[in-house]
Amino acid sequence: MMRAVQDFYPDDFAHCYGCGRLNRDGLHVQTLWRGEETVARFTPRAEHVALPGFVYGGLIASLVDCHGVGTAAAAVERAAGREIGAAPAPRYVTASLHVDFLKPTPHGPELELVARATEIAGRKVTVQVEVWATGLVTARGTVVAVALPESMRLARPDSER
Amino acid sequence: MMRAVQDFYPDDFAHCYGCGRLNRDGLHVQTLWRGEETVARFTPRAEHVALPGFVYGGLIASLVDCHGVGTAAAAVERAAGREIGAAPAPRYVTASLHVDFLKPTPHGPELELVARATEIAGRKVTVQVEVWATGLVTARGTVVAVALPESMRLARPDSER
C-alpha cells in the first residue's frame, strides 16, 4: 500500500493549503516514495492558468514547496530507519524556495513531481524537485526545509487563539 | 487615480490565476506605483494557511510572482516614458522565482508587497520584492521576468484551441 507522508502529519499541523488533509479547500498534495525518490501527482484545476493553455507558475511553486517539504520529512524518517506510516511524520517548513521555469507547462495533463533530498544537515534538509508534464521536465525547484520552529508551534497570532 | 498594471494587460493575457482580471476564481493581485517602487496588497483567504495562524508559503510565492511580473511590465513602460494606462501593458512571464521566508507570516492581517525593478536587460527584467505583515518584512523574493515568448502566444495545447 502506498502511503503519503501528509497522511501522517499530526492533526495540529495538517491544515496546509497545499498539502494538509484537513484543509477542505486546499490542493491536497501527497508525497509518496518510489524507490529512492518521491513522487506527487496533481492535475491543475481549470482556473490554474497563467495564460490560456499554460499552468500558473505560482501553482507550480506551491506544488514544489509542499512536495519538497513532504520529501524532507520522508527522507529524515527513512534516514532514521522508519518508513511512512510507522510514526507521526515530522513537520518541516520552508526556509527558501527556488523555481526555474524551463519551458511553458501545458494546462490539462496531470503533472508529476519527482524529488530527492540531497542533503540532511541538522534541522535543515535540501530537496531538489522536477516538474514533469507530458514526458518533459518543464520546471526545476530547490526547497530548503527546516524542522518546525518552536515559534510556529506556540506563537499563534491572537486572532487564531 | 491609481491604476493597476494588470488592468491594462490585453484580454488574451488577462486570465492569470494570480493576477488576471478575467480569472473569476483567481487572486486578482494588483500592482500600483508608489513613487519609485510598486505596491500590491492582499488579504489571505481563510484557507490560505500553512499551519493554523500562519500564511501558506505557496501563496506568498504566488503573490511575489505576480507582483514581480507586474512590476517588470510597469518598469519597462516607465523606462519608455509611459505610465500605467497610457497603452496596453506588455506581458511578462516568470523565468525564475526565489523566495526566502525570513519569519512566519501571521495569517489575518492584510499583506503589503513592495517591489523594485533592479535591472532591465533586453527582454529580461529582475525584480526584488519584500512581503510586509504587521510592520515587519517576513519574506523577500526575486523574480526574473522575461517578455512573453512567441511560443506562449501561438503554441497553445490542442485541448485549449
Side-chain angles (χ1 to χ4, degrees):
Chain A
M1 190 183 82
M2 296 302 286
R3 293 177 149 183
V5 66
Q6 289 85 1
D7 286 339
F8 297 92
Y9 286 155
D11 284 359
D12 279 358
F13 306 119
H15 294 82
C16 175
Y17 180 72
C19 64
R21 67 182 179 279
L22 302 180
N23 191 316
R24 198 178 49 186
D25 301 307
L27 305 175
H28 300 133
V29 170
Q30 293 206 306
T31 297
L32 306 165
W33 280 116
R34 183 174 66 189
E36 295 303 309
E37 58 195 20
T38 59
V39 294
R41 294 187 179 82
F42 188 83
T43 301
R45 300 175 185 163
E47 64 266 31
H48 288 150
V49 293
L51 308 173
F54 301 104
V55 178
Y56 173 50
L59 175 74
I60 291 171
S62 298
L63 301 176
V64 167
D65 185 3
C66 283
H67 186 48
V69 164
T71 297
V76 166
E77 284 294 275
R78 182 173 275 189
R82 288 185 293 272
E83 289 303 311
I84 292 172
R91 192 71 169 87
Y92 280 71
V93 294
T94 311
S96 75
L97 170 65
H98 185 91
V99 182
D100 289 313
F101 298 94
L102 307 175
K103 49 175 63 92
T105 298
H107 185 268
E110 182 183 68
L111 307 181
E112 184 176 78
L113 288 92
V114 181
R116 284 177 181 259
T118 52
E119 188 182 18
I120 299 176
R123 296 169 57 83
K124 196 172 88 172
V125 183
T126 304
V127 180
Q128 305 292 337
V129 185
E130 294 174 339
V131 180
W132 289 77
T134 62
L136 295 172
V137 177
T138 62
R140 286 185 205 278
T142 302
V143 174
V144 177
V146 294
L148 186 69
E150 281 303 311
S151 61
M152 292 185 82
R153 289 181 194 273
L154 303 173
R156 296 184 187 179
D158 288 344
S159 62
E160 301 286 331
R161 283 179 206 234
Chain B
M1 191 182 80
M2 295 301 285
R3 292 177 149 184
V5 66
Q6 289 85 1
D7 286 340
F8 297 92
Y9 286 156
D11 284 358
D12 280 357
F13 306 119
H15 293 81
C16 175
Y17 180 72
C19 63
R21 67 182 180 278
L22 302 180
N23 191 316
R24 198 178 48 186
D25 301 307
L27 305 175
H28 300 133
V29 169
Q30 293 206 306
T31 296
L32 307 165
W33 281 116
R34 182 173 66 189
E36 296 303 309
E37 58 195 20
T38 59
V39 294
R41 294 188 178 83
F42 188 83
T43 302
R45 300 175 186 165
E47 64 266 31
H48 288 150
V49 293
L51 307 173
F54 301 104
V55 178
Y56 174 50
L59 175 75
I60 292 171
S62 298
L63 301 176
V64 167
D65 185 3
C66 283
H67 185 50
V69 165
T71 298
V76 166
E77 285 295 275
R78 183 173 275 189
R82 290 185 292 271
E83 288 302 311
I84 292 172
R91 191 70 170 88
Y92 280 72
V93 294
T94 312
S96 75
L97 170 65
H98 185 91
V99 182
D100 290 312
F101 298 93
L102 307 176
K103 48 176 63 91
T105 299
H107 185 268
E110 182 183 69
L111 307 181
E112 184 175 79
L113 287 93
V114 181
R116 284 178 181 259
T118 52
E119 188 182 18
I120 299 176
R123 297 168 57 81
K124 195 171 88 172
V125 183
T126 303
V127 180
Q128 307 291 337
V129 185
E130 293 173 340
V131 180
W132 288 77
T134 60
L136 294 172
V137 177
T138 62
R140 287 186 204 277
T142 303
V143 174
V144 177
V146 293
L148 186 69
E150 282 302 311
S151 62
M152 292 186 81
R153 289 181 193 275
L154 303 172
R156 295 185 188 177
D158 287 346
S159 62
E160 301 287 330
R161 284 179 202 233

